[in-house]
């Protein structure tokens, strides 16, 4: 008996290449795009280990947990790392990047997370890119949580290594990911004796054996199911239009912020300024006398399917995440989250106005 997920014809090199090209269009780039056969941590780590080494001075911008991870990889590679950390309720500014270059003109690598689903902030990449370009540093960007939710203009912003995964706003699979690689980034890797070779983390192996070889023969068996899912997800975005997908996320975020403010009970948006809030997910600060994990657990008793989570690690007691991305990027889902959080706050003995929150969510989403 044939099975729809199992008995598939082989995925051809031509089809694999065409999926790469479609991802490149989504990233507004003419650079090489390498699809990596694993979750986004694979190209995130591979790109750092390939491009950074003992000669590197890296400015590592920390606006959430991923920035911390990148700093650790950079140090692993022997790079000198200058961490620029900002409070998780804000974004970094281009001015702060400018100041870092003034203080350390030797910086030749900048790592930045565009939007952080885990903290709910988004950084002004266009302005930062201008500063990075002016100083000639290599620009590495984690766009996993921004692609599909807000513009990612890889070439226009001068991004040398732009990493995406499909599992957030694209509403796709988590098991494949991609990285765009500029000519400058390839040159940096080629000159780096520590760049992984004959390794799962090696981007240079893919360049040599796939991209430069004309993309006619795959070096290894492709992750076929994930590639088909990635193709389907890009196709769906092309069909409804990237703009419409981004608008849906922006409306959900606006609804979540307006609704949370109107709900009362001491709940408030974690990221204070609207302009610094990521469209992919909205983080909320729990009232000081309530525990975020407990509120989330109670809210999920109402409806276990709601995309609610407590913050990770040290944020678990104070942060509530409304993960309104992918199929959950709708005002209705956000309204469901607000109603359930309202119930949880009321159970805690706090005064809330759920009707006002639902109204504000709908009105807020239209602005
Ligand atoms: C979600 C996300 C990733 C992917 O990592 P997971 O831990 O597997 O979810 C990477 N970077 C950012 C900024 C993300 O939001």
């Amino acid at each position: 008996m044939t099975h729809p997920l199992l008995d598939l014809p082989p995925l051809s090199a031509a089809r694999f290449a065409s999926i790469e090209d479609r991802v490149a269009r989504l990233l507004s780039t003419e650079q090489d795009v390498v699809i990596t056969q694993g979750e986004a941590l694979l190209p995130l780590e591979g790109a750092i280990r390939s491009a950074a080494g003992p000669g590197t001075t890296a400015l590592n911008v920390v606006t959430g947990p991923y920035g911390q991870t990148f700093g650790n990889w950079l140090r692993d590679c022997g790079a000198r790392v200058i961490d620029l950390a900002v409070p998780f309720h804000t974004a970094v500014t281009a001015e702060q990047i400018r100041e870092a270059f003034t203080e350390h003109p030797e910086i030749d690598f900048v790592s930045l997370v565009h939007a952080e689903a885990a903290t709910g902030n988004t950084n002004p990449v266009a302005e930062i890119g201008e500063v990075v370009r002016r100083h000639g540093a290599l620009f590495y960007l984690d766009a996993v949580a921004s692609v599909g939710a807000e513009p990612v203009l890889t070439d226009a912003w001068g991004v040398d290594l732009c990493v995406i995964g499909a599992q957030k706003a694209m509403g796709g699979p988590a098991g494949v990911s991609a990285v765009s690689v500029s000519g400058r980034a390839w040159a940096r890797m080629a000159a780096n004796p520590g760049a992984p070779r004959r390794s799962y983390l090696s981007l240079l192996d893919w360049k040599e054996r796939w991209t430069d070889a004309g993309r006619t023969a795959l070096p290894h068996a492709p992750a076929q199911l994930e590639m088909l899912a990635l193709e389907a997800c890009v196709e769906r975005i092309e069909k409804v239009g990237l703009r419409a997908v981004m608008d849906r996320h922006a409306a959900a975020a606006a609804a979540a912020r307006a609704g949370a403010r109107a709900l009362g009970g001491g709940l408030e948006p974690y990221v204070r300024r609207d302009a610094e809030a990521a469209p992919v997910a909205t983080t909320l600060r729990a009232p000081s006398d309530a525990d975020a994990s407990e509120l989330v657990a109670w809210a999920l008793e109402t409806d276990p399917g709601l995309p609610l989570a407590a913050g990770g690690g040290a944020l678990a007691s104070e942060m509530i995440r409304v993960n309104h991305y992918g199929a959950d990027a709708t005002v209705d889902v956000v309204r469901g989250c607000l109603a359930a959080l309202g119930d949880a706050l009321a159970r805690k003995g706090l005064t809330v106005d759920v009707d006002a929150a639902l109204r504000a969510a709908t009105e807020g989403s239209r602005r």
Side-chain angles (χ1 to χ4, degrees), residues 39-41 44 65-67 70 112-119 142-146 163-165 167-168 174 280 321 325:
E39 198 271 340
L41 270 291
L44 286 168
Y66 291 97
F70 303 161
L112 176 71
V113 177
H114 185 183
E116 298 250 11
T119 43
D142 174 351
V144 176
S146 53
V163 176
I164 64 151
Q167 72 263 41
K168 297 264 167 71
V280 72
R321 297 170 56 183
Y325 50 72

Side-chain angles (χ1 to χ4, degrees), residues 34-292:
V34 177
I35 293 195
T36 37
Q37 316 266 308
E39 198 271 340
L41 270 291
L42 171 62
L44 286 168
E45 180 177 352
I48 284 188
R49 294 197 188 278
S50 296
T56 306
T57 301
L59 174 65
N60 181 50
V61 183
V62 182
T63 57
Y66 291 97
Q68 287 164 348
T69 302
F70 303 161
N72 291 336
W73 285 334
L74 286 161
R75 276 179 278 269
D76 269 4
C77 299
R80 190 180 146 229
V81 182
I82 295 153
D83 281 313
L84 169 55
V86 304
F88 292 171
H89 64 263
T90 68
V92 72
T93 64
E95 184 53 34
Q96 287 174 294
I97 306 292
R98 210 172 286 126
E99 283 162 13
F101 273 106
T102 306
E103 207 174 318
H104 305 282
E106 67 279 18
I107 291 167
D108 60 2
F109 185 99
V110 174
S111 49
L112 176 71
V113 177
H114 185 183
E116 298 250 11
T119 43
N121 47 12
T122 186
N123 295 299
V125 182
E127 294 164 44
I128 292 170
E130 255 178 60
V131 180
V132 176
R133 214 162 41 245
R134 199 173 318 131
H135 291 273
L138 210 69
F139 192 16
Y140 164 98
L141 187 71
D142 174 351
V144 176
S146 53
V147 66
E150 55 188 307
V152 175
L153 305 177
T154 308
D155 290 0
W157 294 345
V159 179
D160 294 290
L161 293 157
C162 187
V163 176
I164 64 151
Q167 72 263 41
K168 297 264 167 71
M170 288 173 67
V176 280
S177 45
V179 53
S180 70
V181 189
S182 70
R184 273 159 31 100
W186 282 132
R188 188 79 74 98
M189 292 179 202
N192 177 12
R197 299 305 307 259
R198 297 162 297 281
S199 158
Y200 205 59
L201 287 170
S202 178
L203 296 178
L204 287 169
D205 287 359
W206 272 93
K207 175 175 171 54
E208 218 169 81
R209 298 179 61 190
W210 169 249
T211 315
D212 290 354
R215 301 195 299 175
T216 51
L218 285 159
H220 307 284
Q224 186 177 12
L225 286 173
E226 285 79 5
M227 289 303 292
L228 293 175
L230 177 61
E231 183 182 53
C233 130
V234 174
E235 212 160 69
R236 187 166 66 180
I237 293 171
E238 289 170 353
K239 211 161 171 183
V240 302
L242 179 58
R243 186 70 257 173
V245 177
M246 293 193 292
D247 286 348
R248 199 158 47 75
H249 285 83
R257 291 175 67 77
R261 285 182 175 128
L263 185 59
L267 196 71
E268 55 186 48
Y270 195 91
V271 176
R272 293 184 194 158
R273 297 186 52 225
D274 289 346
E276 294 176 344
V280 72
T282 299
T283 47
L284 303 173
R285 187 182 292 278
S288 52
D289 45 358
D291 180 76

